[in-house]
Amino acid sequence: MLALISRGAAGTRADLARLTGMARSTVAQRVEALIEHGLVEETGAGASTGGRPPRLLRLDTARNCVLGVDLGATHCRVALMDIGGTILAASEDPVQIGQGPLSVLEHVDTRMHELLAEAGRPLETLKAVGIGVPGPVEFATGRPVAPPIMPGWHEYPVPEFFTGRYPVEVLVDNDVNVLALGERRFAYPDSAHLLFVKIGTGIGCGVVVDGHLHRGAQGGAGDIGHIRVPDAADALCRCGNTGCLEAVAGGAALAARLTAAGVPAATGRDVVALVNQGDGTALRLVREGGRIIGDVLAGLVNFFNPEVIVVGGVMARVHEPLLAGMREVIYQRSLPLATHRLTVVPSRSGEEGGVLGAGRLAIDHVLAPDHVNRALSPPTGAT
Amino acid sequence: MLALISRGAAGTRADLARLTGMARSTVAQRVEALIEHGLVEETGAGASTGGRPPRLLRLDTARNCVLGVDLGATHCRVALMDIGGTILAASEDPVQIGQGPLSVLEHVDTRMHELLAEAGRPLETLKAVGIGVPGPVEFATGRPVAPPIMPGWHEYPVPEFFTGRYPVEVLVDNDVNVLALGERRFAYPDSAHLLFVKIGTGIGCGVVVDGHLHRGAQGGAGDIGHIRVPDAADALCRCGNTGCLEAVAGGAALAARLTAAGVPAATGRDVVALVNQGDGTALRLVREGGRIIGDVLAGLVNFFNPEVIVVGGVMARVHEPLLAGMREVIYQRSLPLATHRLTVVPSRSGEEGGVLGAGRLAIDHVLAPDHVNRALSPPTGAT
DNA sequence: CCCCTTTCGTCGACGATCGACCGAAGTTAC
DNA sequence: GTAACTTCGGTCGATCGTCGACGAAAGGGG
């Protein structure tokens, strides 16, 4: 509770009392506990407004950091962040996730140690690790569940790999969920209902309901890439079905269609490059892809009524035509009540969105009320 | 909290202590407060299991009742229920909602008094009123928002109509939300994520996330009737668009298509009757409608990953062919992870689902922890 | 230099909860 | 029939968290 307020809103004891409605004495007591615990520090005095100047509080970023890990199909990004969310050190290298968990996680482990050393942060300051992986994950256990592009990872207990190596909790989630979380925390802290649509090779969606990630009954929520779209019965999808959204409007699909139209492109990245070069066919195709995605999103807007739809992923680098196509259809096909205050915006976090979100997952865990309370009162529990 | 447990799970002080993990003394204290407050009563002793027999507790159904009101386009159902959820008295009569709020609510008011008298319950035992209306509602204020089939109701403050007449709170919500709530409470108390699909003249959907109704940013969530479906560009919808789900698979649409196929039918009700008479064309059409709805639901299953989809509304009276069509498509088009434990079932509450749900909305309010706590400690608050 | 404002810490009071103890009311063993 | 034992329920002191009031600290304004 206090940790939540401390995390940016306002940083003096009096502010906290005003915002939480609690008595000043209570606030002081708890702040002291947090300082004792090392999560909060005092930083000099602020400007007086006519009376005694307040003592400023802020998160103790020097003594608390987390690691964010963004695993993609072919890359691995690791970032060391303090609990304020600023990056202290980061790495990026090509890693084939298909090499299996042992090899990949060993690599991650090495990078994690390197970054800690590079930033000069001792291991004791590390408080949590967040990992985003490109596939469905049972969040409670941190195990990937039948991930299509992660051979060898099925049911692999990722957090257990790190127990023994690091004395902190390891949180694993789907990469799109992680992106949604990061975007919400960084850019739309006040939006209760948010969708993060990632348009990369495939298409996925992170769902934030009432400020919390919605993972669904089996942790499989947000898989919009395989929703069927009209007039696409001939589009074969890697999932085995036909007419899936991502088989028509995903980065790979757009590249294939562009190639078929006479403009060679192998990946979504190529399509993006062509659009940036001013290629008319690519531009038209991207906009058309936006319309198709918009058609699906229009349905989801009616169903879910979000406040914000954030579009990210590789293809969002050409967000002008993409979002234009999407908005065109969404505002036409969705009900006025639902579109009234809906905004469709490109992601503000670029390539680093994954690590930022993963780090944010870890930070949220460190600052979570129950976690903090548990840490503050170790002598309790046992009878 | 205690009220929640009291509401069915297990009814003795010892049970409560076991289930909540609280000390027996605390439980006893709070139970006493609840008895004092009149929400709970003691009913004799239970069977001994080797020691002193427990004193049984249950909700004081004699001194606490609520009213549920189900307003449809052409009907008005009112039911008096005790807070255990059993109906004490009910009424049903044809009412045109288009006559406007004053006329309709006056009628409701009369019925409410009649039912209280009929059941011999004094006004003091009434604790809350729940109302379901056929259109979007801003739940916090109880005002309909631009309801398509409720002329004159836009922004009308329904709860205010009853203040002065009844000394209790009045809760107003969309009829589909109310249905979803009722179904969850009565039939699937353990399902965190549930969809209630109502297929009547139109098509709507109530969304339960994590046990709570999801109303969306503008209270417009669940409006799946106007999601676009493939190969239906010629189907004109009352919303002004074309190709909407309910313009193809709603009760009215099915009747129209059946008529066009040479079998006269004016409403969804007629279609149901024809199916029950064994009409092959009607049967085929309903099953086809189920497939079309299933196509949309398949997308929502991927996106939302519910545990249960409940199908209600007039058309659900022929749920065999309807659900067959729906399941056919859902299990084919949705991902295995999402369909793994998904069940698609007909609503267990029939015609009375609306009033039951409305009553449940009221009961939930009466038993809500914050409400009870406020009631238990009246001398607090003011400084 | 005095008074006011704002902030911060401390102290006693209050309420909620807990654990322990005891009485109540049965069953079971002898 | 009586004595254990078992299970429930109520009471009492102790503890913890929170609150409100008071006073001290630290600055601005007349």
Side-chain angles (χ1 to χ4, degrees):
Chain A
M1 6 185 162
L2 271 181
L4 280 167
I5 317 288
S6 271
R7 179 185 36 119
T12 124
R13 291 173 178 77
D15 283 351
L16 286 174
R18 273 189 294 268
L19 291 174
T20 62
M22 295 190 299
R24 278 183 297 282
S25 52
T26 308
V27 170
Q29 218 171 2
R30 296 172 70 145
V31 166
E32 193 180 12
L34 289 175
I35 292 178
E36 186 73 23
H37 188 244
L39 271 177
V40 173
E41 65 176 344
E42 245 174 27
T43 65
S48 166
T49 59
R52 170 174 175 173
R55 281 196 262 169
L56 298 181
L57 301 173
R58 66 168 192 196
L59 292 177
D60 192 339
T61 50
R63 294 198 291 168
N64 298 279
C65 61
V66 300
L67 280 161
V69 181
D70 172 27
L71 293 179
T74 60
H75 71 260
C76 162
R77 286 197 190 81
V78 184
L80 180 68
M81 309 162 59
D82 63 40
I83 53 169
T86 56
I87 294 183
L88 304 170
S91 78
E92 171 183 0
D93 18 41
V95 165
Q96 299 298 323
I97 201 153
Q99 292 178 344
L102 276 176
S103 160
V104 172
L105 293 179
E106 203 71 59
H107 174 90
V108 169
D109 184 26
T110 310
R111 282 281 176 276
M112 282 163 60
H113 272 111
E114 285 173 13
L115 293 178
L116 281 168
E118 182 185 332
R121 303 268 172 153
L123 189 55
E124 301 85 59
T125 61
L126 181 68
K127 294 297 156 63
V129 177
I131 304 181
V133 300
V137 176
E138 188 190 12
F139 182 72
T141 62
R143 298 175 182 225
V145 179
I149 63 170
M150 297 169 67
W153 289 74
H154 177 61
E155 291 285 341
Y156 183 84
V158 178
E160 273 83 335
F161 177 89
F162 293 98
T163 55
R165 307 189 183 214
Y166 300 86
V168 298
E169 285 191 68
V170 176
L171 309 161
V172 186
D173 205 343
N174 184 293
D175 57 348
V176 192
N177 283 347
V178 159
L179 282 166
L181 197 65
E183 191 80 18
R184 187 185 115 81
R185 285 278 181 277
F186 284 110
Y188 306 96
D190 299 327
S191 288
H193 311 304
L194 175 146
L195 293 186
F196 187 100
V197 181
K198 182 188 176 191
I199 310 171
T201 302
I203 296 178
C205 178
V207 186
V208 175
V209 181
D210 218 19
H212 298 282
L213 262 176
H214 172 70
R215 298 191 171 89
Q218 276 81 41
D223 223 322
I224 66 170
H226 303 282
I227 292 180
R228 183 171 161 199
V229 297
D231 312 321
D234 56 336
L236 250 167
C237 182
R238 56 180 174 178
C239 77
N241 259 315
T242 59
C244 293
L245 174 62
E246 80 174 37
V248 181
L254 289 183
R257 291 173 72 181
L258 197 53
T259 306
V263 186
T267 67
R269 231 168 268 268
D270 298 340
V271 179
V272 170
L274 284 165
V275 171
N276 286 337
Q277 286 162 27
D279 184 286
T281 313
L283 185 70
R284 198 173 43 74
L285 214 57
V286 166
R287 184 166 186 130
E288 174 59 19
R291 283 197 203 95
I292 298 172
I293 298 170
D295 193 64
V296 168
L297 289 181
L300 297 181
V301 166
N302 278 345
F303 171 75
F304 181 68
N305 193 4
E307 292 174 63
V308 184
I309 295 180
V310 182
V311 182
V314 179
M315 300 308 296
R317 286 189 213 165
V318 285
H319 59 256
E320 296 90 351
L322 192 68
L323 267 71
M326 289 169 60
R327 291 203 188 96
E328 193 180 302
V329 179
I330 291 175
Y331 287 105
Q332 182 206 337
R333 299 282 333 171
S334 295
L335 298 173
L337 181 64
T339 54
H340 184 215
R341 290 184 191 170
L342 173 71
T343 52
V344 183
V345 294
S347 167
R348 296 197 198 167
S349 56
E351 296 276 328
E352 294 168 324
V355 278
L356 285 175
R360 180 51 63 176
L361 183 65
I363 292 172
D364 281 1
H365 176 73
V366 172
L367 299 182
D370 52 347
H371 181 249
V372 171
N373 288 341
R374 230 177 301 135
L376 285 179
S377 53
T380 324
T383 307
Chain B
M1 7 183 162
L2 271 181
L4 282 166
I5 317 288
S6 269
R7 180 184 35 120
T12 125
R13 291 173 177 78
D15 283 351
L16 287 174
R18 270 190 295 268
L19 291 174
T20 62
M22 294 189 300
R24 278 186 301 280
S25 53
T26 309
V27 170
Q29 218 171 3
R30 296 172 69 146
V31 166
E32 194 179 12
L34 288 175
I35 292 177
E36 186 73 22
H37 187 244
L39 272 176
V40 173
E41 66 177 343
E42 245 174 25
T43 65
S48 165
T49 58
R52 172 174 174 172
R55 281 198 260 169
L56 297 181
L57 301 173
R58 68 168 190 196
L59 292 178
D60 191 339
T61 51
R63 295 198 291 167
N64 298 279
C65 61
V66 299
L67 280 161
V69 181
D70 172 27
L71 294 177
T74 60
H75 72 259
C76 163
R77 287 196 188 84
V78 185
L80 180 68
M81 310 162 60
D82 63 38
I83 54 170
T86 56
I87 295 184
L88 305 171
S91 77
E92 171 183 359
D93 16 43
V95 166
Q96 299 298 324
I97 202 153
Q99 293 179 345
L102 276 177
S103 161
V104 172
L105 293 181
E106 205 69 60
H107 174 90
V108 170
D109 184 24
T110 310
R111 281 281 175 279
M112 281 162 60
H113 272 111
E114 284 173 15
L115 293 179
L116 282 168
E118 181 185 333
R121 303 269 173 152
L123 188 57
E124 300 84 59
T125 61
L126 181 67
K127 294 298 155 64
V129 177
I131 305 180
V133 300
V137 175
E138 189 190 9
F139 181 72
T141 63
R143 299 174 182 226
V145 179
I149 61 170
M150 298 170 68
W153 289 74
H154 177 62
E155 291 285 341
Y156 183 84
V158 178
E160 273 83 336
F161 177 89
F162 294 97
T163 55
R165 306 188 183 214
Y166 300 85
V168 298
E169 284 191 70
V170 177
L171 309 161
V172 186
D173 205 343
N174 184 294
D175 57 349
V176 192
N177 283 347
V178 159
L179 283 166
L181 197 65
E183 191 80 18
R184 187 185 115 81
R185 285 277 182 277
F186 283 112
Y188 307 96
D190 299 327
S191 288
H193 311 304
L194 174 146
L195 293 185
F196 187 101
V197 181
K198 182 189 177 192
I199 309 171
T201 303
I203 296 177
C205 178
V207 186
V208 175
V209 182
D210 218 20
H212 299 283
L213 263 176
H214 171 71
R215 298 191 171 88
Q218 274 81 41
D223 223 322
I224 66 171
H226 304 281
I227 292 180
R228 184 172 161 198
V229 297
D231 312 321
D234 56 336
L236 250 167
C237 181
R238 56 180 174 177
C239 78
N241 258 316
T242 59
C244 293
L245 174 62
E246 80 174 38
V248 181
L254 289 182
R257 292 174 71 181
L258 196 53
T259 307
V263 186
T267 67
R269 231 168 269 268
D270 299 339
V271 178
V272 170
L274 283 165
V275 171
N276 285 336
Q277 287 162 26
D279 184 285
T281 312
L283 185 70
R284 198 173 43 76
L285 214 56
V286 166
R287 185 166 184 132
E288 174 60 19
R291 282 197 204 96
I292 297 172
I293 298 170
D295 194 63
V296 168
L297 288 181
L300 297 182
V301 166
N302 277 346
F303 170 74
F304 181 68
N305 193 3
E307 291 173 64
V308 183
I309 295 180
V310 182
V311 182
V314 179
M315 300 308 296
R317 286 190 215 164
V318 285
H319 59 255
E320 295 90 351
L322 192 68
L323 267 71
M326 289 169 60
R327 290 203 188 96
E328 193 180 300
V329 180
I330 291 175
Y331 287 106
Q332 182 206 337
R333 298 283 332 170
S334 294
L335 297 174
L337 180 63
T339 54
H340 184 216
R341 289 185 191 170
L342 173 71
T343 51
V344 182
V345 295
S347 167
R348 296 198 198 168
S349 56
E351 296 276 329
E352 294 169 325
V355 278
L356 284 175
R360 181 52 62 176
L361 183 65
I363 293 172
D364 280 2
H365 177 72
V366 173
L367 299 183
D370 52 349
H371 181 250
V372 172
N373 288 339
R374 229 177 302 136
L376 286 179
S377 52
T380 325
T383 308

